Amino acid sequence: MNNRSRRMGLVALAALTATALAGCAGSAASTASTGSMATLTDDDQVTITFESYNLSNAGIWSDTITTLIDEFMAEHPNITVKAQPSSSVSTAGSVQQQVLAGGAPDVAQLTFNELDFAATTLGAQNLTAVVGQDALDDEFGGEYPYHERARTLADWDGSTYGIPYVFSTPVLWINEDLFTQAGLDPESADLSTWDAVQAVGETITAATGEPSVSVTCTVTGGNWCMQGLFLSGGAQVLSDDRTTIEFGSDAAVDTVQTFRDMFDAGVLANQDSTSMYEAFAQGKTAIHVNTSALQAAFIGGAESGDWTLDARTLPSFDDQPVVPTNSGSFLAMFSSDPKKQAAAWELIQWMTSPHAYETISTEIGYLPLRNTMTQEGGPLYEWVEANPLVTPNLEQLDALEPWVSYPGDSYAQVDTVLATAIEDSIFYGADSESSMQDAAERAQGLIE
């Protein structure tokens, strides 16, 4: 879904937050296998707060999470969970405000671009120290273990600061009816490369008179997805040692220019991400790149509009391998009270259990991080067989690279600088090379 609201600036309060958290940040010193967390007995009555941005979204998102929380409390009568939607434009910003007011939620759903900030400034607990490596191994293992590329997504500096929760990969969604109306067979149409997508788009645009392709990665709110397009084009946004901004490279410029060429050809729609999503759901766009978490919404749109929906993996840039990045979130613990930590860990395990993933995947469409649940004999096998639209998402998990979080407290500003440069280059006539290189130079100053 649209993650624009997850990326707004937090830097104004960063210094104050660091001071406020001095006494409550989790210690990274202990790496004992058993951790330091207290034991919660049946006689303990504990109340904890769970903050989730999914609860801010009406309908299937909030309904599904609320149901899981209610089920948790029924199974754990000694734990009361106060569920609250994020009250700020980003969960990290909301948590930060609560810390400065004298408290924080015990568990919070944070997006992966907030990981560096959460671990170094916001006060997320070091789970390796709190719950211990044995408990983490049990959490990531079991009958349906986490995919190997998913389990370390919320690790920081050798320790685990969060449990990967819900995420998706960007998917190429298509409206088969618009292909057919343009004289194309949607089953055989080549969409394997971006050049091929442009060629198909030109045919459909000629038939409809309207741009036929929309790519949410190219506009504000789509940086998580654009990172995957950069990687697929041979570029990076940040060096491996996390010291140098690299989205001004020749490969990054070439990646952006691909979509500039598509726009100049009249194929690529110039809309904000919400308008792109709505237009596709209404059957107005033939090809649309967006998170797989919108599967249920697009199925509903296709059913009400009487058109046929299909999904493909991301196209490649010529013969280079496709490297998708993930959107989505992890669950971080902010409790400092030992009993609340124990209750918070119980909730985190519940919300990332096979039961929770079965519910979340079938109701919302998020990728089940315990991907073996989709294999024959697993609880999601029949669902996948009946819903083949999820297949591209599962296929891309094997090539997944993490959504990079920029270092420092100005990480959201870096995203804004990059998004503006991309939009200016693609849609508003700016020279791609100078625009991207200037953005990289300004972003470099923000992380130093």
Side-chain angles (χ1 to χ4, degrees):
M1 61 182 301
N2 179 7
N3 286 296
R4 173 170 47 191
S5 62
R6 311 268 71 83
R7 297 177 174 82
M8 303 302 290
L10 299 171
V11 294
L13 299 177
L16 288 174
T17 301
T19 302
L21 291 167
C24 64
S27 170
S30 173
T31 57
S33 61
T34 55
S36 61
M37 188 173 60
T39 299
L40 194 64
T41 69
D42 291 340
D43 293 331
D44 290 314
Q45 295 295 318
V46 182
T47 298
I48 58 174
T49 300
F50 173 41
E51 179 156 334
S52 167
Y53 64 75
N54 284 143
L55 292 169
S56 304
N57 301 308
I60 57 173
W61 289 276
S62 59
D63 291 347
T64 300
I65 303 308
T66 298
T67 295
L68 286 171
I69 292 171
D70 289 343
E71 291 176 349
F72 172 81
M73 289 191 290
E75 292 284 335
H76 300 78
N78 60 329
I79 302 175
T80 300
V81 179
K82 292 184 177 179
Q84 67 182 32
S86 297
S87 60
S88 181
V89 291
S90 78
T91 305
S94 176
V95 172
Q96 187 179 43
Q97 292 167 7
Q98 291 170 76
V99 169
L100 294 174
D106 300 287
V107 179
Q109 177 189 8
L110 302 175
T111 48
F112 286 103
N113 67 318
E114 297 168 331
L115 175 59
D116 181 301
F117 185 71
T120 61
T121 302
L122 197 56
Q125 293 288 334
N126 180 343
L127 296 180
T128 303
V130 174
V131 307
Q133 191 59 51
D134 288 350
L136 289 173
D137 289 343
D138 289 343
E139 159 68 9
F140 291 127
E143 183 179 6
Y144 301 108
Y146 266 62
H147 191 285
E148 60 181 8
R149 287 184 178 269
R151 62 176 295 168
T152 59
L153 288 175
D155 282 10
W156 190 253
D157 196 24
S159 295
T160 298
Y161 279 84
I163 303 300
Y165 177 40
V166 293
F167 71 66
S168 57
T169 64
V171 170
L172 189 80
W173 300 98
I174 69 171
N175 179 328
E176 291 191 348
D177 290 36
L178 292 179
F179 278 65
T180 302
Q181 292 171 23
L184 297 171
D185 178 3
E187 296 296 328
S188 61
D190 182 11
L191 298 172
S192 61
T193 68
W194 286 109
D195 286 343
V197 169
Q198 179 169 332
V200 168
E202 288 174 351
T203 299
I204 299 174
T205 292
T208 64
E210 298 290 340
S212 55
V213 179
S214 58
V215 180
T216 56
C217 318
T218 62
V219 298
T220 299
N223 279 354
W224 69 273
C225 170
M226 194 67 196
Q227 286 189 12
L229 297 186
F230 281 136
L231 288 170
S232 299
Q236 293 184 219
V237 296
L238 187 67
S239 62
D240 291 337
D241 65 4
R242 298 183 56 76
T243 63
T244 307
I245 295 293
E246 294 194 343
F247 49 70
S249 67
D250 290 344
V253 171
D254 289 345
T255 301
V256 171
Q257 188 63 41
T258 296
F259 298 98
R260 168 66 175 270
D261 293 343
M262 199 177 296
F263 175 71
D264 288 345
V267 170
L268 186 67
N270 179 10
Q271 301 169 314
D272 62 64
S273 59
T274 300
S275 298
M276 289 184 188
Y277 147 68
E278 291 176 344
F280 183 75
Q282 292 166 6
K284 298 178 180 179
T285 311
I287 301 170
H288 178 61
V289 177
N290 209 329
T291 169
S292 58
L294 290 171
Q295 175 180 304
F298 290 154
I299 289 174
E303 290 176 347
S304 63
D306 194 26
W307 53 273
T308 303
L309 175 70
D310 197 8
R312 309 278 182 89
T313 55
L314 282 179
S316 68
F317 292 88
D318 297 324
D319 58 353
Q320 298 186 78
V322 175
V323 187
T325 46
N326 61 282
S327 68
S329 60
F330 62 98
L331 297 181
M333 179 190 296
F334 290 91
S335 306
S336 56
D337 176 87
K339 295 292 186 179
K340 286 181 176 288
Q341 286 182 339
W345 180 238
E346 291 291 338
L347 177 63
I348 289 173
Q349 291 177 93
W350 175 268
M351 298 301 290
T352 58
S353 66
H355 169 70
Y357 279 127
E358 183 176 359
T359 301
I360 290 169
S361 296
T362 55
E363 294 296 324
I364 299 177
Y366 280 121
L367 183 68
L369 304 191
R370 301 180 184 275
N371 62 307
T372 53
M373 294 173 64
T374 67
Q375 297 174 3
E376 188 168 2
L380 287 174
Y381 175 74
E382 292 185 0
W383 175 72
V384 171
E385 290 294 297
N387 295 274
L389 291 173
V390 75
T391 301
N393 202 21
L394 289 169
E395 289 177 359
Q396 291 184 150
L397 184 56
D398 291 333
L400 184 78
E401 289 294 333
W403 177 8
V404 172
S405 64
Y406 297 105
D409 297 339
S410 298
Y411 66 93
Q413 286 181 283
V414 174
D415 265 342
T416 299
V417 168
L418 174 57
T420 300
I422 292 171
E423 288 190 7
D424 287 348
S425 298
I426 295 174
F427 301 112
Y428 301 111
D431 177 73
S432 298
E433 182 176 9
S434 59
S435 180
M436 294 299 294
Q437 289 178 351
D438 178 65
E441 183 177 346
R442 286 185 286 128
Q444 186 67 40
L446 291 171
I447 70 170
E448 291 179 345

